[in-house]
Amino acid sequence: MYYKNQASTELPPLNASRLEEQGVSIRDYVDLLLEGKKTILKTLFTVLFITLIYLVLAPRTYKADGLLRIDKNKALLAAPLRSDTNGASAETESPRAQREVEILRSRSVLGKVVDDLNLVVEYTPAYFPVIGETLARLHNADDGIAEPWWGFNRWAWGGETLKIATFTVPDRLLNKEFTLVALESGRFRLLGPKDEALVDGSIGDTVSINIGETEPVVIKIIELEANPGTHFELSRTTTLAAIETLQKAFTVREVSKDTDILSVELKGRDPEQLAKSVNDIASFYVNATVNWESAEAGQKLAFLESQLPVVKERLEKAEQSLSAYRQTHGAVDIPAEAEILLKQAAEMETLNIQLKQKYEQQNQHLEAAHPDMMATKAQIRRIDAKLGNLEKRIKNLPRTQQHMVSLSRDVQVNTELYTSLLNSAQEQRIAAAGSLGNSRIIDYAVTPEKPYWPKPGLMLAIAGLLGLTAGSALVFLRYSLQRHDNYPALLEYQVGLPLYAAIPHSKKQHRLAKLIGQGKDRQSGILVSQDPLDISVESLRSFRTNLEATLASSESKVIMVGSPAPGMGKSFVSSNLAALLASIKKRVLIIDADMRNGRLHETFSIKNQPGLSDLLAGKASLGDIIVSLPDVGVDFIPRGSMVMNPAELLVMGNLEETLDQLKSFYNHIVIDSPPILAATDAAIISKLADATFLVVKEGRYTAQELEVSFRRFQQVGVKPNGFIINDLKEGSSYYPYYGYAYNRAGEESKSVPLWTAGYQAMGDWFGRNKDPDFLLASGIDENPDEIAEV
């Protein structure tokens, strides 16, 4: 059987599909981001701050680049030995860019750069931890060597110079870190990997140190400018390791497809050394191509010169044989058919000899299975077959004509071949003397003035995007970990209790709560008296209006305000509700019934004194415990002395008779009860109340908690009237209604921000707050005149 406070507004049936649709509304995500804008901004500024620190402290990386042009092979070396029948050889084709890229990155090219610039020796000044390199970078080298900061002369602070001509160590000490200490008067000291002193030397001298190994440590310094005591860290690596390091920092690419123009890039910390390295790589590559072509031209020239005496001797013998035959037999007429056979045979014989010379030349640098070798061999076989057919036709001629044709053919073939060899040899001499290679340097590398990395604009843009993304992710993560239900309308449907008020977050109340927690002196009073125009007070006024309508028919008006758990804001609601009831000329008494942890006396800025616990224990009378608060307009009964058995006092202490006495004088009695889930006190008090309300804080409640609290009251025969959502954050879906209502009230000291009005207009455009189901579920009337009062 329910007690007299069982009356409760019945909830209208809700549209389940409408609730489900609102569960995925885009506007709610926007609300959540607006609510967490402080978190997002803090994350954004944190990421930007870390990025700025990195931009200041990060070592600078420079990039030096140059341009190379790959020309077509001039084809001077093999042109005289090529006819239209044998096609172009692979050696005379235009080189592909990818092949040249691999040559540029080869160890044969980069190894010369490593040796020329002595890149196997790595050395760097010892900088002060974290900020030392940045300070040294900011120092202007034209001002000389920087003075040591704070007297730390072992660190480098800017302007130091070190150049090492020679530094060799035994294999066991490769990649080990040595230390070079600058001394006065151009001297230095070398320390070993274990900081043991090895030797003192002077600039320009070659110093050898015997450390018991097969090879000594040898060092030669050609330049050293630093404050005495400055440390340098140096080490020696292998040539192969230095080449691999250079390959990782070295990039070669074709500027665009089929242009045969290569961009050569090198990244590193020393801008001057980068430019020298790029120029050395380009120069070594160009010189290498010239040397390769010159060597090939010389090789072909040697082959031609070796063939010239042989061909000349054969020509002389052929001429002598022809002359002797003519002297013996006199002039012999050669018919037209024999002339044709002679010409064809001479051409075939000449071509056959040229192909055999070409085969011998290819055989010097190609395998027998190479396609070019096989093609040349096939051409020789075809020429031999044609020569065999011509020989058969020549044999059908008369014997005298046969000898004449044969001798004339030998003379003609050897004459053509000798002339061709002379021309080829002369061309090869010219090619060997004036070969320029197939590559040109278009742009030499220059010392870079600005660092390639880090890039402030790009990094700040990425940091800004990352900060916004991380901040938004934190907001959603925090939201997912909070204990809450998304929609009051859905909560009403799940729990079966109506929502009486949704109280927005108050910055003024937040400051007041901080002052109470810190125990600092402040003006007496509560939010209603401190800032009566606050938006939270407006929502409490709406609650007061609904409460007056709810208790209009009740003979007595005892109002209990509780909560499922501590920290929900029930004391804030009960104290301000009492003050608002008193503001409409009502006699109001507020009772702090939380005899375990009640703090209403701190809210009203008074000291704790005998109160409810003392009255129920018989240690004080009713007149002794009532405190008048004229600033607020209410009377107050504090919790009293701390007791161990408050539930027994409520049952045995005649609380019902005390309330009956108070009802005859006060229009309203507001009781601030303990949490229902923490103690049974609230259930005992609720049986004596005319109306019971549960206060929950946004982000700290679940529907299950409200359901369990509702059942606790049901177990003692009490049905709560409804619940109140407290501390509604700005940006949530309910918040704009209060801003709009307040603006409609015409108050001058408050105004709705432009973004809030725009946001509300956007919500109206989406049609969410015009949906009858939503308005009905939210407890808001569609009449715009009534919205101003809510």
Side-chain angles (χ1 to χ4, degrees):
M1 180 177 181
Y2 287 124
Y3 286 83
K4 55 186 176 181
N5 62 353
Q6 66 181 359
S8 178
T9 304
E10 295 294 335
L11 291 176
L14 295 182
N15 189 336
S17 62
R18 175 61 178 164
L19 292 173
E20 182 178 358
E21 178 185 355
Q22 291 185 11
V24 293
S25 172
I26 296 178
R27 178 175 175 179
D28 291 315
Y29 291 112
V30 177
D31 290 340
L32 185 60
L33 292 176
L34 290 176
E35 178 183 344
K37 59 182 180 293
K38 291 184 178 180
T39 301
I40 296 175
L41 291 177
K42 288 179 181 178
T43 306
L44 174 61
F45 291 147
T46 301
V47 174
L48 289 176
F49 180 71
I50 295 174
T51 303
L52 288 174
I53 293 178
Y54 172 79
L55 290 174
V56 173
L57 299 180
R60 270 34 181 177
T61 301
Y62 295 86
K63 181 180 72 173
D65 55 2
L67 284 180
L68 290 175
R69 176 184 174 183
I70 309 302
D71 294 330
K72 291 184 178 181
N73 196 309
K74 299 302 184 294
L76 295 176
L77 306 180
L81 301 178
R82 183 185 65 205
S83 65
D84 295 336
T85 59
N86 59 9
S89 63
E91 288 78 15
T92 61
E93 295 178 355
S94 175
R96 302 308 303 162
Q98 185 59 37
R99 182 180 66 185
E100 304 304 319
V101 168
E102 296 303 324
I103 294 175
L104 279 165
R105 292 180 57 84
S106 65
R107 289 193 295 269
S108 61
V109 174
L110 298 184
K112 295 179 180 179
V113 178
V114 170
D115 295 338
D116 184 61
L117 299 179
N118 197 23
L119 299 182
V120 292
V121 180
E122 300 176 355
Y123 51 90
T124 181
Y127 295 110
F128 189 81
V130 182
I131 64 173
E133 187 173 355
T134 302
L135 296 175
R137 185 175 63 248
L138 296 177
H139 176 74
N140 190 353
D142 296 335
D143 297 336
I145 303 173
E147 292 295 329
W149 287 49
W150 309 298
F152 295 144
N153 57 356
R154 74 176 305 244
W155 311 106
W157 300 98
E160 293 80 11
T161 303
L162 174 63
K163 291 184 180 179
I164 301 177
T166 304
F167 182 57
T168 60
V169 299
D171 293 342
R172 185 177 63 85
L173 297 180
L174 288 173
N175 299 317
K176 299 294 184 180
E177 188 175 288
F178 290 76
T179 303
L180 184 73
V181 183
L183 303 178
E184 296 180 350
S185 303
R187 295 182 59 80
F188 64 88
R189 176 174 298 158
L190 182 65
L191 305 180
K194 298 181 180 179
D195 290 336
E196 70 276 15
L198 297 181
V199 70
D200 289 359
S202 300
I203 298 175
D205 296 340
T206 301
V207 183
S208 178
I209 311 103
N210 187 1
I211 58 174
E213 300 285 343
T214 56
E215 298 179 2
V217 176
V218 180
I219 186 170
K220 180 180 179 180
I221 307 296
I222 58 177
E223 185 177 352
L224 176 59
E225 295 181 2
N227 292 316
T230 303
H231 286 52
F232 294 84
E233 299 171 354
L234 66 154
S235 62
R236 168 74 185 235
T237 186
T238 63
T239 302
L240 181 59
I243 292 175
E244 292 177 350
T245 302
L246 187 59
Q247 285 177 334
K248 292 178 182 178
F250 183 57
T251 304
V252 185
R253 60 181 179 84
E254 192 175 7
V255 175
S256 58
K257 189 176 181 181
D258 297 331
T259 59
D260 287 334
I261 296 179
L262 301 181
S263 174
V264 182
E265 299 178 353
L266 186 62
K267 299 174 184 176
R269 302 278 296 276
D270 190 343
E272 294 184 0
Q273 189 181 69
L274 290 176
K276 292 180 182 178
S277 300
V278 172
N279 290 332
D280 278 4
I281 292 172
S283 300
F284 287 143
Y285 166 73
V286 172
N287 293 335
T289 57
V290 172
N291 294 335
W292 293 336
E293 289 196 1
S294 298
E296 186 177 1
Q299 185 180 10
K300 291 183 178 181
L301 178 60
F303 171 77
L304 293 175
E305 290 179 343
S306 67
Q307 294 295 317
L308 278 174
V310 178
V311 176
K312 183 178 180 181
E313 182 180 357
R314 288 164 54 187
L315 175 59
E316 291 175 349
K317 289 181 179 180
E319 289 177 343
Q320 291 175 1
S321 298
L322 178 61
S323 178
Y325 185 80
R326 283 180 176 177
Q327 290 177 2
T328 304
H329 296 84
V332 179
D333 294 332
I334 301 177
E337 181 182 1
E339 287 283 353
I340 295 174
L341 292 175
L342 175 62
K343 184 178 180 180
Q344 291 179 351
E347 290 178 354
M348 291 296 104
E349 186 69 24
T350 302
L351 183 56
N352 190 27
I353 294 174
Q354 289 178 346
L355 288 174
K356 289 180 179 179
Q357 290 176 344
K358 179 180 178 181
Y359 183 82
E360 292 178 2
Q361 180 184 355
Q362 290 177 338
N363 192 36
Q364 295 178 4
H365 57 274
L366 296 178
E367 297 290 339
H370 194 276
D372 290 346
M373 295 281 288
M374 298 177 65
T376 304
K377 189 182 293 184
Q379 289 177 348
I380 292 174
R381 287 196 297 268
R382 287 195 297 269
I383 297 301
D384 288 339
K386 291 182 180 180
L387 281 174
N389 293 332
L390 290 175
E391 290 290 344
K392 292 179 181 179
R393 294 177 62 183
I394 292 174
K395 289 179 179 180
N396 293 331
L397 297 174
R399 183 177 298 277
T400 304
Q401 292 180 2
Q402 290 182 18
H403 285 291
M404 193 66 185
V405 168
S406 179
L407 293 173
S408 298
R409 183 186 66 183
D410 291 341
V411 172
Q412 185 176 352
V413 168
N414 286 293
T415 301
E416 292 180 1
L417 184 59
Y418 184 68
T419 303
S420 177
L421 288 176
L422 285 175
N423 293 333
S424 297
Q426 185 63 27
E427 289 174 351
Q428 293 301 326
R429 292 187 185 98
I430 297 174
S435 178
L436 297 178
N438 64 347
S439 58
R440 305 286 186 274
I441 299 178
I442 300 177
D443 286 337
Y444 283 93
V446 296
T447 303
E449 298 178 354
K450 296 182 180 180
Y452 169 77
W453 186 263
K455 297 180 179 179
L458 176 62
M459 292 201 63
L460 289 176
I462 295 176
L465 181 61
L466 179 63
L468 292 175
T469 303
S472 301
L474 286 176
V475 170
F476 283 109
L477 178 62
R478 182 181 63 184
Y479 178 77
S480 64
L481 296 176
Q482 286 178 344
R483 306 169 64 198
H484 58 78
D485 289 276
N486 292 334
Y487 300 102
L490 181 60
L491 191 61
E492 288 179 329
Y493 178 76
Q494 291 177 339
V495 180
L497 290 177
L499 173 66
Y500 265 74
I503 304 173
H505 175 76
S506 172
K507 296 180 180 179
K508 179 69 174 180
Q509 175 60 29
H510 183 68
R511 289 192 294 268
L512 287 174
K514 279 188 175 181
L515 293 176
I516 294 174
Q518 295 172 359
K520 295 183 178 180
D521 294 336
R522 65 191 189 283
Q523 296 179 355
S524 60
I526 54 176
L527 184 62
V528 171
S529 58
Q530 292 285 341
D531 190 0
L533 302 180
D534 189 88
I535 190 171
S536 298
V537 178
E538 287 297 321
S539 64
L540 286 170
R541 287 193 177 99
S542 174
F543 174 53
R544 181 191 62 187
T545 302
N546 295 334
L547 184 62
E548 286 289 314
T550 301
L551 301 181
S553 60
S554 299
E555 295 180 358
S556 58
K557 301 179 179 63
V558 178
I559 306 165
M560 192 192 84
V561 179
S563 63
M568 298 289 186
K570 58 179 179 58
S571 298
F572 162 73
V573 174
S574 59
S575 59
N576 284 273
L577 175 63
L580 287 173
L581 291 171
S583 66
I584 56 175
K585 306 303 181 181
K586 300 287 186 178
R587 293 190 301 274
V588 180
L589 172 68
I590 180 170
I591 301 175
D592 187 357
D594 188 355
M595 291 179 283
R596 290 180 173 86
N597 194 30
R599 299 181 62 186
L600 270 182
H601 60 280
E602 296 180 1
T603 302
F604 291 117
S605 302
I606 63 174
K607 294 182 179 181
N608 191 24
Q609 58 188 42
L612 181 62
S613 61
D614 301 284
L615 174 66
L616 297 179
K619 297 180 180 179
S621 63
L622 189 60
D624 296 333
I625 63 174
I626 296 178
V627 181
S628 179
L629 302 174
D631 294 338
V632 184
V634 300
D635 291 342
F636 171 54
I637 296 180
R639 73 179 187 192
S641 303
M642 185 72 66
V643 293
M644 301 299 294
N645 56 345
E648 286 76 7
L649 285 179
L650 291 174
V651 175
M652 305 295 295
N654 298 324
L655 178 60
E656 184 175 2
E657 296 179 1
T658 302
L659 290 177
D660 289 338
Q661 297 179 20
L662 296 172
K663 289 177 186 178
S664 61
F665 182 77
Y666 293 101
N667 300 113
H668 295 288
I669 300 174
V670 180
I671 301 177
D672 182 13
S673 72
I676 181 62
L677 298 181
T680 188
D681 304 9
I684 299 173
I685 299 173
S686 63
K687 294 189 293 182
L688 306 177
D690 300 310
T692 301
F693 297 95
L694 289 174
V695 178
V696 293
K697 189 174 183 179
E698 185 188 31
R700 293 190 57 185
Y701 68 89
T702 62
Q704 289 76 14
E705 287 179 338
L706 282 177
E707 287 179 337
V708 173
S709 302
F710 182 47
R711 291 173 184 172
R712 290 282 180 90
F713 284 113
Q714 282 185 320
Q715 291 172 357
V716 295
V718 175
K719 186 175 183 180
N721 295 69
F723 67 97
I724 302 168
I725 296 180
N726 184 35
D727 201 24
L728 198 66
K729 298 297 187 298
E730 184 176 356
S732 65
S733 56
Y734 265 52
Y735 194 91
Y737 293 110
Y738 291 100
Y740 173 72
Y742 192 77
N743 191 37
R744 288 287 302 270
E747 302 291 349
E748 297 180 356
S749 61
K750 291 275 188 175
S751 62
V752 179
L754 183 61
W755 71 269
T756 305
Y759 181 72
Q760 178 65 27
M762 182 181 68
D764 294 343
W765 184 80
F766 278 108
R768 175 177 177 177
N769 61 341
K770 295 180 181 179
D771 192 298
D773 291 340
F774 173 76
L775 294 173
L776 185 60
S778 303
I780 301 176
D781 199 339
E782 293 184 51
N783 188 351
D785 294 334
E786 295 181 5
I787 294 179
E789 300 180 2
V790 178

